[in-house]
Amino acid sequence: MSRIKILSPDEIPSEPPETEASVRPWPWATRKAVMVFLIALAAISLLFLLVKSSGSDVQPAQSTGPIEVSRTAFSQQTIVFTLRNTTIQPATLSAININSATWPFTAAPGATIPPGGSVRVTLDYHWLPGVAYDIDFFTADSSRINVNVTAGSGTSLPPMSSWFVYLLIGIVVGIVPVFLGLLWMPPLFRRLGAVGAVFLMAITLGLLIFLGIDTANTALEQALAVVGPSQAVGLVGIGGVLTFLLLASLAHRFGRKGSGAAAGSLGLAFVIAIGIGLHNLAESFAIGVSYTQGALMLGVFAVVSIILQNLTDAMGIVLPILDEKLTPGTLAILGLIGGGPAVIGGLLGGMISSSTLVVVMLSIGAGAMFEVAYEIAGLIRASAAEHPRWTVIFAGITTGIAALYFAGLFVK
Amino acid sequence: MKKITRRDFLKAGAVGTFAAGGLAALVEPLSAGAKPTATPPPTSTPVVPAGTPANGMGGMSMPGSEAGPISVPMPGTNREVDHAANGFNPTDILTDFDPGQVSRLAGGQTLHEYKIVAGEKDIEIVPGLSYAAWTYNGRIPGPTIRVREGDRVRIQFLNGASHEHSMHFHGIHPGSMDGVYDQVPPGGSFTYEFDARPFGVHLYHCHSFPLAMHVAKGLYGAFIVEPRNGWPRVDHEYVMVMSGFDVDYDGQNDFYNVNAIPFHYDKHPIQIKVGETVRIFLVNILEYDAINSFHLHANFFHYYPTGTSLIPSEYTDTIAQMQAQRGILEFSYPYPGRFMFHAHKTEFAELGWTGVFEVTE
C-alpha cells in the first residue's frame, strides 16, 4: 500500500516521466528484427546475382585510340557498337572486319562521327556465345582500331534486365551494409568502454585513409588509360580537391557544435553520410561501367571488401550522434544518403559508359573519403582532448589500414 | 542544427546544377536518333534495287532471288568505291591487254613501246577508305603488257613519285635490264629494252627496297608473252592479278583482292555464256601471306603453270600460287547460274578476294 502514491492535482506532471523506453525510441528487439531482414535481403539478392545470368552482355569501354569503342552489346543475332570520336577532327568509319571477314554494317545516324560525338554501328552477325571476336574498325584515313570482345555466355534462363542487376548490386554492397552498420554500431559502441570506442574510431579513420588513397589511385590509373584531349589526370585533381572543399564547407556550416552539444552533431552526421554516399556513388558507377556479361563478374573478395567498407563507414556516420536520440526516420534517411547512391551509381554507370566520367566520379569519391577522414580525425581529437590515448589511436589506424591492405592482396 | 534558409537552398541548388552541367559536358550524348531499337534502320546505306547483287557475296540477301529466299548476312561491303575518282575500273582491267605502240624494226622484229610512269595516288579500295597507293600509270594493277615471244619490248620508265622505283620483269633478259641495280630516282627515267621470252604469263613489279612495301603498295602488273603461233582461240580472255592491302602498315594484309578492289566481281559478276571458253591469266603478287589460291565453283579447269607449256599439268578446281607464281586457267561452263570464284583460304575470301561468274544461256 505504501508503494502507491496518490498525486494531488498540481503534482500531476503535464508530460509523462522519462523512462528507459522513451530515451531509446527503438528497442533492441526491433533492431534485431530489422537487421535479420536486411541480412536476408542481401543474401537473396546475392543468390539472384550469382545464380542467374545477368543477360546484359555489355562490354566495358575500351580506349583504343582516336575512336573509342565505348560499348559493345550482343543481342539477337546482332552486335551493336557505340563508337566515340575522342579527337577534335571528324572521323569517318569506312570498313569493319570481324574475325577476318569484312562485314557490311549500318551506322546511325551516319558513318561520320563528329568530334566528341558517337555513332551506333550495327552488324547483322550471327555470333556464338562465349566466343572471342577480334574486330577491326577502319577509318577513312586508313587507321585501324582493334578491339577484342567476348560474346555473352548466354544461358537457358531468360536474361534479367540490367537495371535490376544494378539494383541488386546496389542493395547488396551499399544499402544493406550501411543500414546494418547504422543499426548495429550505436549499441556496440555503448557496450565498449571508452578505450574500445576510440579504437573503433581509429580503425574507421585508417579504413577511410586507405580507401581515399586507393580510390585516388584507381582514378589516376583510369585517367592515364583515357585517350583523347580531356586531360583526365587534371580532372582527378579538380574532382578530388573540389569535393573535399565542398564537403568541408558543408561540415563547417552544419556540423558546428554551436547551440548545445547535440545541435551540431546531427549535421555532421549528415555531411559524413553525404561523403560516404558520394564514395559509394563513385565506386558503383565504376562497377556499372565495367560490368560484363554473364554472372556477376566481381570477385567474391571484392564484394566482401566493399561490404565491409560500408559497414565500417556506417560507423563514421553514427560517431557524431552516438549520444543522440535518433528516430528510425532519421536513421533511415542517413542510411539512404549513405547507401542509396550505390544503386544510382550502378544504373548510371551501366547507362553512361564514359571512361572520362569514371575518372571524375572516382576522384569525387576519393575527395569525399579524405574529407570524411578529416571529420573523423576531428572527432577523435575532440575525444582525445580529455583522455589522450595515442597508442590506442595509432593501433586503430594501423589496424584499419592493414586490414584493407591484406584484403586487397586477396582480391588481387 | 542551424535552420536551412532559402538562401542555403538556392546555393545548394546552384552548386548542384553546376556540378550536373559539368558532368554532362563530359559525357558525350549518344547520338540523336540512336535510341535502342530492335532493328536500327540502315540510314547510311543506299536502297539497292532487287536483282542487283551489290550486297555482299552473291547477293543472297535479296528475297526471292534465284539463289533462294534465305536472308543470310554475308561478308562484303554494302556500298561501292568511286571508280571514276580512282581512275580505273577492275571490270575494264579484266580485258585491258596493252600491246603498246607497235612498230617494226629494221630486222623485221616487232617492237612494242610503252611509257610507264610511277606515281603516288590515293585510291579508295574499300568504300570510304582511302589508301595512299603507289601506281604504274595511275592504276592497280599496272598496264597489262602483252607481246609475242621474240618481240622487242621497250619501256620508257619515268619516276613521277617521291621515292626511288624501278621495274623488274620476270622473264629472260640481260642483267642491266633487270631493274635491281639501276634504281630510278624521283624525276629520273630508265628505258628497259629486251626481247620477250619465254612465252607464258609473267609479271613485273618494283624492285626498290624495302621490297615488301614497294610491292605491296601497288607497283605490279601482268606481263604476257604469247607463243609464236599464239594460244588457241577462246571466247574470253581475262587477266586477274591477286594481291592484298595492308592499310595500317603492320605487316599484315587487311584486305585481299583480285585486280585491286576487294569484292568487285562479287558486286559486278563477270558475264559469260554457257559453253563459252574462258582463259584466265592468273598472277599472284600477294605480299605478307605465304600462299594464295584460286577456286572455281561448280567447274573444273585445265591449269598451265606459268603458261610456259601448251600441255596442261592439271585438271582441277583449286590451285595454289605463292608470291610471283602465275598460270593460265582454261574452262567453260556447261550449266547456267551464278558461280563464285575465290581464294580457298577462307580468310582471304571473306576479306575481299571473292568474285562471281554469271553464266547465262
Side-chain angles (χ1 to χ4, degrees):
Chain A
M1 279 271 292
S2 56
R3 268 184 273 141
I4 301 171
K5 183 166 183 254
I6 310 266
L7 297 172
S8 60
D10 47 69
E11 284 177 342
I12 297 172
S14 51
E15 309 261 354
E18 277 201 355
T19 62
E20 279 288 305
S22 61
V23 166
R24 286 206 194 130
W26 224 0
W28 179 234
T30 318
R31 282 180 193 248
K32 276 203 289 198
V34 176
M35 283 184 351
V36 166
F37 165 73
L38 285 173
I39 292 174
L41 179 63
I44 293 174
S45 307
L46 259 179
L47 222 57
F48 248 95
L49 286 167
L50 292 172
V51 168
K52 275 202 172 196
S53 156
S54 76
S56 68
D57 286 330
V58 172
Q59 295 282 331
Q62 306 203 21
S63 284
T64 42
I67 291 194
E68 188 180 279
V69 182
S70 62
R71 176 197 296 262
T72 310
F74 291 85
S75 54
Q76 202 66 21
Q77 312 287 37
T78 313
I79 311 177
V80 180
F81 302 95
T82 305
L83 301 182
R84 185 165 65 235
N85 181 1
T86 61
T87 66
I88 53 177
Q89 303 283 347
T92 306
L93 184 65
S94 67
I96 297 181
N97 288 352
I98 173 165
N99 273 10
S100 300
T102 308
W103 217 263
F105 63 92
T106 55
T112 304
I113 318 174
S118 307
V119 292
R120 261 168 70 101
V121 175
T122 306
L123 264 71
D124 190 4
Y125 189 90
H126 296 186
W127 50 271
L128 292 175
V131 170
Y133 288 96
D134 190 70
I135 300 158
D136 287 326
F137 296 92
F138 292 92
T139 55
D141 62 352
S142 304
S143 297
R144 178 174 69 94
I145 292 98
N146 179 261
V147 295
N148 207 293
V149 292
T150 305
S153 57
T155 65
S156 56
L157 297 167
M160 298 194 298
S161 315
S162 315
W163 68 265
F164 189 55
V165 170
Y166 297 129
L167 177 68
L168 290 183
I169 294 177
I171 289 175
V172 169
V173 308
I175 296 197
V176 168
V178 170
F179 271 94
L180 274 179
L182 288 178
L183 291 172
W184 177 53
M185 292 295 169
L188 179 69
F189 254 69
R190 291 192 201 103
R191 286 197 188 133
L192 297 168
V195 175
V198 170
F199 186 68
L200 265 187
M201 280 166 40
I203 290 183
T204 313
L205 180 59
L207 290 173
L208 288 166
I209 294 174
F210 188 93
L211 278 179
I213 298 176
D214 191 41
T215 312
N217 178 49
T218 313
L220 276 173
E221 279 178 353
Q222 291 281 340
L224 290 171
V226 169
V227 178
S230 62
Q231 291 195 97
V233 175
L235 286 175
V236 173
I238 295 173
V241 169
L242 287 184
T243 312
F244 187 98
L245 291 175
L246 179 68
L247 282 177
S249 67
L250 283 176
H252 181 75
R253 190 77 194 285
F254 297 109
R256 246 184 315 210
K257 296 150 180 61
S259 42
S265 302
L266 186 59
L268 184 61
F270 267 100
V271 172
I272 292 180
I274 291 174
I276 287 163
L278 280 176
H279 182 249
N280 271 331
L281 183 73
E283 269 200 351
S284 58
F285 184 86
I287 293 175
V289 170
S290 72
Y291 185 61
T292 55
Q293 80 293 348
L296 189 61
M297 293 298 274
L298 285 180
V300 173
F301 284 115
V303 172
V304 167
S305 79
I306 297 178
I307 292 175
L308 282 176
Q309 277 174 37
N310 275 327
L311 260 178
T312 46
D313 286 347
M315 191 161 32
I317 298 178
V318 295
L319 276 176
I321 44 177
L322 275 177
D323 305 318
E324 303 252 335
K325 288 178 232 187
L326 281 176
T327 62
T330 316
L331 267 182
I333 294 176
L334 284 173
L336 277 178
I337 295 177
V343 175
I344 303 170
L347 282 169
L348 279 179
M351 280 166 18
I352 309 172
S353 277
S354 161
S355 47
T356 315
L357 204 50
V358 170
V359 171
V360 173
M361 299 295 265
L362 284 174
S363 67
I364 289 176
M369 282 288 95
F370 283 123
E371 211 288 324
V372 173
Y374 178 71
E375 299 302 329
I376 302 291
L379 286 176
I380 294 178
R381 203 180 306 123
S383 81
E386 311 108 49
H387 300 281
R389 295 189 175 95
W390 300 113
T391 325
V392 175
I393 293 171
F394 178 74
I397 296 177
T398 313
T399 310
I401 293 181
L404 275 184
Y405 175 74
F406 285 111
L409 285 180
F410 269 116
V411 170
K412 266 117 194 163
Chain B
M1 184 159 96
K2 281 170 62 169
K3 263 179 107 168
I4 300 179
T5 64
R6 211 176 359 238
R7 188 183 294 175
D8 297 330
F9 186 75
L10 283 174
K11 278 195 218 167
V15 169
T17 314
F18 263 114
L23 288 178
L26 284 167
V27 175
E28 75 302 335
L30 293 178
S31 36
K35 302 273 185 297
T37 55
T39 46
T43 51
S44 69
T45 57
V47 173
V48 177
T52 319
N55 228 43
M57 294 164 89
M60 282 196 68
S61 55
M62 294 298 144
S65 70
E66 314 172 359
I70 307 161
S71 171
V72 177
M74 286 171 125
T77 58
N78 45 21
R79 290 179 294 144
E80 178 118 32
V81 305
D82 188 350
H83 300 290
N86 282 349
F88 62 90
N89 189 320
T91 302
D92 302 328
I93 287 186
L94 276 179
T95 50
D96 199 358
F97 301 99
D98 191 355
Q101 188 91 347
V102 184
S103 57
R104 208 152 265 271
L105 289 173
Q109 196 184 22
T110 311
L111 169 69
H112 298 262
E113 283 180 282
Y114 299 87
K115 181 165 155 192
I116 295 186
V117 182
E120 289 158 8
K121 189 171 188 179
D122 284 344
I123 291 185
E124 190 187 12
I125 55 168
V126 157
L129 195 150
S130 181
Y131 178 68
W134 291 345
T135 62
Y136 286 126
N137 282 6
R139 45 175 272 176
I140 299 180
T144 303
I145 296 172
R146 184 164 180 166
V147 301
R148 199 154 270 221
E149 190 181 24
D151 289 352
R152 176 133 259 186
V153 178
R154 184 183 295 156
I155 297 172
Q156 188 195 16
F157 172 62
L158 301 162
N159 187 349
S162 59
H163 292 248
E164 63 177 25
H165 294 299
S166 70
M167 289 183 81
H168 166 69
F169 287 83
H170 284 232
I172 300 175
H173 47 258
S176 58
M177 295 295 132
D178 202 28
V180 174
Y181 298 106
D182 293 292
Q183 298 286 325
V184 180
S189 74
F190 190 97
T191 302
Y192 298 93
E193 191 163 331
F194 50 84
D195 292 335
R197 52 185 283 233
F199 75 84
V201 52
H202 310 302
L203 64 148
Y204 63 90
H205 58 85
C206 178
H207 215 291
S208 304
F209 300 92
L211 189 50
M213 184 174 74
H214 278 254
V215 171
K217 277 177 81 79
L219 290 168
Y220 44 78
F223 171 42
I224 297 172
V225 181
E226 294 180 2
R228 284 184 200 274
N229 296 321
W231 283 297
R233 203 209 137 270
V234 292
D235 296 305
H236 298 282
E237 282 184 326
Y238 299 124
V239 70
M240 292 188 182
V241 177
M242 306 188 286
S243 67
F245 286 109
D246 173 19
V247 299
D248 59 340
Y249 304 100
D250 64 349
Q252 292 180 346
N253 286 307
D254 303 294
F255 300 99
Y256 297 83
N257 60 72
V258 58
N259 289 348
I261 305 297
F263 297 110
H264 177 83
Y265 302 113
D266 182 46
K267 295 184 199 296
H268 302 280
I270 302 172
Q271 307 288 326
I272 56 179
K273 290 210 178 333
V274 170
E276 283 185 327
T277 45
V278 178
R279 177 179 292 131
I280 296 181
F281 298 97
L282 184 71
V283 177
N284 180 32
I285 192 64
L286 179 68
E287 192 57 70
Y288 307 120
D289 289 286
I291 304 234
N292 208 340
S293 49
F294 180 103
H295 166 60
L296 190 64
H297 273 224
N299 205 355
F300 276 50
F301 51 83
H302 291 281
Y303 185 63
Y304 306 77
T306 319
T308 44
S309 168
L310 295 173
I311 299 164
S313 70
E314 270 192 272
Y315 181 58
T316 180
D317 65 3
T318 308
I319 48 104
Q321 289 178 342
M322 60 155 271
Q323 189 186 42
Q325 281 190 314
R326 61 274 188 194
I328 295 178
L329 292 73
E330 285 179 2
F331 57 89
S332 75
Y333 267 95
Y335 303 111
R338 234 192 235 161
F339 302 100
M340 274 189 182
F341 64 95
H342 57 83
H344 220 296
K345 176 101 169 54
T346 314
E347 184 191 350
F348 298 179
E350 290 190 321
L351 286 173
W353 177 177
T354 298
V356 174
F357 279 112
E358 187 147 26
V359 184
T360 49
E361 295 286 359

